């Protein structure tokens, strides 16, 4: 069983930055065996993939809407994945979730929410002046 705890959300002005953290707690596997994805959901919209990281961090992917603005990174020694968000716009507003998929060998990641088994409770990000 994997538990995920997000933090770092808040209110920020357009053009500002935030750094989200996702800490993974697993009694069996370290985060080095977890694919991690970041997703967001705005009111009235479907949950969409934002960024993902393969288990070693060598493989990453970002949605077109955040490419060049968001960066995903991880520190497996701390079982934590980070999402650095820059040049934020009101369209980035939503609840941000991290999700995990246990994986043994491949260093792949996914932007589809259907690939993930475990989810955090989410952290609110609001971009507004």
């Amino acid at each position: 069983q994997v538990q995920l705890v997000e933090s770092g959300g808040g209110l920020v002005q357009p053009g500002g930055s935030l750094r989200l953290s996702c800490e993974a707690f697993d009694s069996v596997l370290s985060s080095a065996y977890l694919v991690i994805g970041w997703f967001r959901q705005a009111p009235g919209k479907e949950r969409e993939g934002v960024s993902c990281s393969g288990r070693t961090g060598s493989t990453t992917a970002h949605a077109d809407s955040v490419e060049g603005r968001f960066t995903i990174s991880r520190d497996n020694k701390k079982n934590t994945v980070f999402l650095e968000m820059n040049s934020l716009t009101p369209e980035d507003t939503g609840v941000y979730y991290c999700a995990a998929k246990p994986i043994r060998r491949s260093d792949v990641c996914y932007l589809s929410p259907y690939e993930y088994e475990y989810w955090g409770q989410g952290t609110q990000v609001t971009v507004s002046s």
Side-chain angles (χ1 to χ4, degrees):
Q1 187 73 17
V2 179
Q3 292 184 325
L4 303 170
V5 179
E6 303 99 333
S7 61
L11 173 65
V12 63
Q13 292 187 342
S17 299
L18 280 175
R19 188 192 198 202
L20 305 183
S21 298
C22 171
E23 188 171 5
F25 300 89
D26 190 308
S27 61
V28 177
L29 297 174
S30 75
S31 66
Y33 294 94
L34 296 175
V35 179
I36 300 290
W38 280 100
F39 298 82
R40 66 186 179 191
Q41 188 164 20
K45 294 187 177 181
E46 292 186 355
R47 190 169 298 187
E48 64 169 336
V50 175
S51 300
C52 66
S53 169
R55 62 182 188 88
T56 68
S58 296
T59 299
T60 62
H62 300 276
D64 290 343
S65 59
V66 306
E67 187 73 57
R69 300 188 298 122
F70 289 14
T71 302
I72 189 169
S73 62
R74 64 194 296 159
D75 184 343
N76 284 338
K77 292 182 180 179
K78 297 182 179 179
N79 292 327
T80 302
V81 176
F82 305 98
L83 184 67
E84 188 76 36
M85 306 186 297
N86 299 310
S87 302
L88 287 163
T89 73
E91 287 69 37
D92 295 315
T93 294
V95 179
Y96 282 68
Y97 301 89
C98 67
K101 175 184 177 67
I103 195 165
R104 289 290 181 176
R105 294 181 180 178
S106 299
D107 195 14
V108 297
C109 74
Y110 313 94
L111 289 176
S112 169
Y114 301 104
E115 294 286 347
Y116 293 87
E117 301 174 33
Y118 303 99
W119 291 82
Q121 293 188 332
T123 184
Q124 176 70 44
V125 171
T126 302
V127 184
S128 175
S129 55

